[in-house]
Amino acid sequence: MPTIMNRENVSTNFFTSRLFAGMIFMGILIVAGGCRGHRRTPSSSASDTDTVTAAMVKNEFRHAWRGYMRYAAGYDALRPLSKKGKNWYRRSLLMTPVDAFDTMVLMGLEKEQKEAKKLIFDSLTFDVDMEVQLFEVTIRLLGGLLSAYQWDGDERFLALAEELGKRLLPAFRSPTGMPYRMVNLRTGAVRDKVNNPAEIGTLILEFGTLSRLTGDTAYYHAARRALLALYDRRSPLGLVGSAIDVETGEWKNPTSHIGGGIDSYLEYLLKAYLLFGDPQYLRMYRESVRAVNRYLADTVGGYLWYGQADMYTGERTSTYYGALEAFFPGVLLLGGDTSRAAALQRSGFKMWQMTGIEPEKIDYRKGGITSPAYLLRPENIESAWYLWHATGERQYRLMGETFFRSIRDYCRTGSGYAYLTDVRNKTKGDDMESFFLAETLKYLYLLFAPDDLVDTGQVVFNTEAHPLRKVSPRSF
Ligand code: DMJ
């Protein structure tokens, strides 16, 4: 059984009794605001079919990992059609092995863990004269290394995380404290002063955990300052826009929404509270979500959606909803709003069923697909898992079966999994994003595995599904 480690030698059994896990989860919901009392029913226990489905998901993870090892070992990611490796930048940062590692631990895949560790410890270095995107490297690599350390206990993971954290810190050196988008790992040179709320506000779980594990508070304070600076620039209505200049603090695009570019900022306001316990984050989350529900929520034909609006006037500007927005039911649920979470998940599932697999974006008012790719994204599945975990309602596992079947039917290749360029004709594209292993298959597995596999009272998933464990505060 995996244990969680930190430098204070706190070793905690990660697996707890179902009852204890359930009680803690209920506790979180109640503290986080107005849970109306979820009760597990007998239907929530794992049936034989669920156990078989969990084993099938695990097999598909093995299949995808084998493809990566065979054709792309050492690269950032697999190109599943051309059967080659692909790097994000000039040199590989081992995105797939780092992102996938804690899923292997959770699934109990020991051979695969050894393979990933060998790749990571043999060749991962951050001492490279190379510019990287702060947000992606933080959620995938820093988050992945920290959870790998917490789940596996190997100190080398933490050493790598600390090394990376140090090299990312220069990104925060702007007049407002909000980070630049790009930073050079060796020189600390920064670029791209026009940033967005997601890339500014989705750093505190990882930087805060790094601080707590190392005792160096600089990481937490940099990410916290950035988050507060962003929040302070919300409009009088309580909304944020899509693009902001981190040097002047001036908004460059006033369109507000819950999709890509803003999404995980909202998620981290709540999760920062859940992981670090500071009620200030909960207040920030509540105020933000109140505005989001007031100005962005929309009901069409009996279905709940969230569209786009001007951050200053609240006026609706467009009516798009998509795969990225589908994270929101999970967050609403964690924040205690079960009924909105359930209603929105119903819409997300309807969107998935339009063509048998989820499109990137639809116009929920006009009813058409506006962006037809399926990028192997996890958000709809992630929300189904949160709803399942909290309510025990069978409908969420049934949704999961549909998700799993369609991904397997349409995206599987002989060498792994491929995204779809068009969900209408199911044409495959030559990429398997690391989040497919980090998130999509992890949440699918959690949906069918025994429900006490993760102690949700002690663990908060980062936006890349890396389970970060609460660490007792040292100096903050
Ligand atoms: C992931 O990298 C993260 O979930 C992020 O928050 C949004 N995009 C992808 C998955 O779709």
Side-chain angles (χ1 to χ4, degrees), residues 39 41 97 210 286 344 370 414 432 460:
R39 278 285 136 140
T41 62
L210 184 58
R286 283 190 175 146
L344 191 58
T370 58
M432 182 176 82
V460 176

mmCIF file of all heavy atoms in Angstrom, residues 39 41 97 210 286 344 370 414 432 460:
data_model
loop_
_atom_site.group_PDB
_atom_site.id
_atom_site.type_symbol
_atom_site.label_atom_id
_atom_site.label_comp_id
_atom_site.label_asym_id
_atom_site.label_seq_id
_atom_site.Cartn_x
_atom_site.Cartn_y
_atom_site.Cartn_z
ATOM 1 N N ARG A 39 -26.315 11.321 1.151
ATOM 2 C CA ARG A 39 -26.315 10.041 1.827
ATOM 3 C C ARG A 39 -26.013 8.972 0.810
ATOM 4 O O ARG A 39 -26.666 8.885 -0.222
ATOM 5 C CB ARG A 39 -27.695 9.750 2.442
ATOM 6 C CG ARG A 39 -27.934 10.400 3.775
ATOM 7 C CD ARG A 39 -27.176 9.686 4.829
ATOM 8 N NE ARG A 39 -26.583 10.760 5.623
ATOM 9 C CZ ARG A 39 -26.481 10.771 6.924
ATOM 10 N NH1 ARG A 39 -26.798 9.765 7.599
ATOM 11 N NH2 ARG A 39 -25.985 11.788 7.567
ATOM 12 N N THR A 41 -26.248 5.406 -0.704
ATOM 13 C CA THR A 41 -27.275 4.375 -0.679
ATOM 14 C C THR A 41 -26.591 3.046 -0.962
ATOM 15 O O THR A 41 -25.444 3.030 -1.412
ATOM 16 C CB THR A 41 -28.306 4.628 -1.793
ATOM 17 O OG1 THR A 41 -27.597 4.538 -3.024
ATOM 18 C CG2 THR A 41 -28.962 5.972 -1.663
ATOM 19 N N PRO A 97 5.781 10.542 -18.528
ATOM 20 C CA PRO A 97 6.084 9.754 -17.334
ATOM 21 C C PRO A 97 5.770 10.487 -16.028
ATOM 22 O O PRO A 97 5.239 9.889 -15.096
ATOM 23 C CB PRO A 97 7.583 9.467 -17.443
ATOM 24 C CG PRO A 97 7.939 9.712 -18.846
ATOM 25 C CD PRO A 97 6.939 10.650 -19.426
ATOM 26 N N LEU A 210 4.818 22.828 -2.301
ATOM 27 C CA LEU A 210 6.287 22.842 -2.318
ATOM 28 C C LEU A 210 6.818 23.578 -1.087
ATOM 29 O O LEU A 210 7.771 23.129 -0.431
ATOM 30 C CB LEU A 210 6.793 23.504 -3.615
ATOM 31 C CG LEU A 210 8.303 23.512 -3.817
ATOM 32 C CD1 LEU A 210 8.882 22.103 -3.816
ATOM 33 C CD2 LEU A 210 8.672 24.216 -5.125
ATOM 34 N N ARG A 286 -16.570 32.058 -2.956
ATOM 35 C CA ARG A 286 -18.026 32.277 -2.869
ATOM 36 C C ARG A 286 -18.445 33.528 -3.618
ATOM 37 O O ARG A 286 -19.434 33.532 -4.339
ATOM 38 C CB ARG A 286 -18.457 32.357 -1.412
ATOM 39 C CG ARG A 286 -18.514 30.991 -0.769
ATOM 40 C CD ARG A 286 -19.163 31.090 0.583
ATOM 41 N NE ARG A 286 -19.345 29.776 1.170
ATOM 42 C CZ ARG A 286 -19.257 29.526 2.470
ATOM 43 N NH1 ARG A 286 -18.985 30.503 3.306
ATOM 44 N NH2 ARG A 286 -19.448 28.319 2.931
ATOM 45 N N LEU A 344 -25.925 20.742 -14.163
ATOM 46 C CA LEU A 344 -24.929 21.043 -15.196
ATOM 47 C C LEU A 344 -24.302 19.766 -15.756
ATOM 48 O O LEU A 344 -23.999 19.674 -16.946
ATOM 49 C CB LEU A 344 -23.842 21.971 -14.614
ATOM 50 C CG LEU A 344 -22.875 22.574 -15.622
ATOM 51 C CD1 LEU A 344 -23.592 23.394 -16.697
ATOM 52 C CD2 LEU A 344 -21.822 23.444 -14.925
ATOM 53 N N THR A 370 -19.388 23.980 -32.587
ATOM 54 C CA THR A 370 -18.587 25.070 -33.143
ATOM 55 C C THR A 370 -17.098 24.735 -33.168
ATOM 56 O O THR A 370 -16.315 25.406 -33.822
ATOM 57 C CB THR A 370 -18.787 26.383 -32.346
ATOM 58 O OG1 THR A 370 -18.437 26.112 -30.989
ATOM 59 C CG2 THR A 370 -20.216 26.868 -32.407
ATOM 60 N N GLY A 414 -3.520 0.948 -32.386
ATOM 61 C CA GLY A 414 -2.647 -0.165 -32.026
ATOM 62 C C GLY A 414 -1.515 0.259 -31.102
ATOM 63 O O GLY A 414 -0.951 -0.559 -30.375
ATOM 64 N N MET A 432 -1.308 12.125 -28.354
ATOM 65 C CA MET A 432 -1.884 11.596 -27.108
ATOM 66 C C MET A 432 -1.330 12.466 -25.985
ATOM 67 O O MET A 432 -0.199 12.305 -25.544
ATOM 68 C CB MET A 432 -1.479 10.132 -26.892
ATOM 69 C CG MET A 432 -2.083 9.512 -25.635
ATOM 70 S SD MET A 432 -1.705 7.761 -25.413
ATOM 71 C CE MET A 432 -0.065 7.823 -24.671
ATOM 72 N N VAL A 460 -6.368 16.764 -2.050
ATOM 73 C CA VAL A 460 -7.018 17.670 -3.001
ATOM 74 C C VAL A 460 -6.342 17.443 -4.353
ATOM 75 O O VAL A 460 -5.118 17.484 -4.455
ATOM 76 C CB VAL A 460 -6.862 19.146 -2.555
ATOM 77 C CG1 VAL A 460 -7.447 20.085 -3.597
ATOM 78 C CG2 VAL A 460 -7.534 19.364 -1.203
#
